Amino acid sequence: GAGVSQTPSNKVTEKGKYVELRCDPISGHTALYWYRQSLGQGPEFLIYFQGTGAADDSGLPNDRFFAVRPEGSVSTLKIQRTERGDSAVYLCASSIGGTDTQYFGPGTRLTVL
Amino acid sequence: DQQVKQNSPSLSVQEGRISILNCDYTNSMFDYFLWYKKYPAEGPTFLISISSIKDKNEDGRFTVFLNKSAKHLSLHIVPSQPGDSAVYFCAASAPNRDDKIIFGKGTRLHILP
């Protein structure tokens, strides 16, 4: 079956612009996670959704970052007033339930010039 | 403060020999440990896991060992194959693990012909 998909695969933007990154989880997976991977680092947790609600958003670095999952399936990570330090690969993962194995998408590489 | 540490950024192993990847953790609340494998331009893929009630888990060529008193785990791959060349992430989670996974920085494994 289809895995987790993320669009776009690459996004180049200018400092100060707004970006949206999309994640399409595996069908039937109720849990969805966003991570950020900077160069030379492992993935760092940003936010976790169980269904439509954000169960844990403690990893969001500041209020420029926001994520939604209005129908409990597709999720969008939104970054306002992008900064060069936001450049990273943004990974999305989903699992059947919160305690099950997380399956990752290929990521979106964001470059802020 | 890194809670999951992979102190070897890279490791080279001859094809057919054993690869041993090491990982240390600092948070004694962690009770579930995972290894993920990542190829370039792809998301991490789940490899193997171990619960803190066990000290060994085996799956084919992959074995994970856990030493709770030392807060140390290791992944053994034997025999190593060319397709094993990738970045390996050690990760951990705490009870109520329907939440974030904490990743190490990863170890790049090169399998030499």
Side-chain angles (χ1 to χ4, degrees), chain A residues 33 35 37 41-43 45 48 56 58 98 101-102 104-106, chain B residues 36 38 41-44 46 89 97-101 103-105:
Chain A
Y33 306 78
Y35 292 83
Q37 186 178 8
Q41 304 293 318
F45 170 81
Y48 155 60
D56 183 349
S58 62
T101 300
Q102 295 182 25
F104 283 80
Chain B
Y36 278 81
K38 186 181 184 304
E42 295 183 12
F46 171 75
F89 291 102
R97 60 179 185 271
D98 54 349
D99 200 13
K100 50 188 171 284
I101 296 175
F103 284 84
K105 289 187 176 183

Side-chain angles (χ1 to χ4, degrees), chain A residues 1-107:
Chain A
V4 177
S5 63
Q6 292 186 246
T7 55
S9 54
N10 280 284
K11 176 72 177 178
V12 180
T13 190
E14 292 179 343
K15 180 174 178 293
K17 299 288 189 183
Y18 168 82
V19 297
E20 289 189 351
L21 312 178
R22 176 188 167 111
C23 172
D24 211 327
I26 294 172
S27 177
H29 281 195
T30 61
L32 185 146
Y33 306 78
W34 283 99
Y35 292 83
R36 176 169 73 173
Q37 186 178 8
S38 301
L39 195 63
Q41 304 293 318
E44 293 178 283
F45 170 81
L46 296 177
I47 186 170
Y48 155 60
F49 287 90
Q50 182 59 257
T52 60
D56 183 349
D57 64 358
S58 62
L60 294 177
N62 51 60
D63 62 6
R64 295 187 298 105
F65 288 74
F66 189 70
V68 296
R69 195 186 184 200
E71 297 177 0
S73 178
V74 170
S75 175
T76 304
L77 178 66
K78 308 179 180 194
I79 311 174
Q80 298 177 322
R81 303 183 305 280
T82 51
E83 299 177 357
R84 292 193 180 90
D86 299 335
S87 296
V89 175
Y90 288 81
L91 294 162
C92 176
S94 70
S95 67
I96 294 174
T99 58
D100 296 285
T101 300
Q102 295 182 25
Y103 295 88
F104 283 80

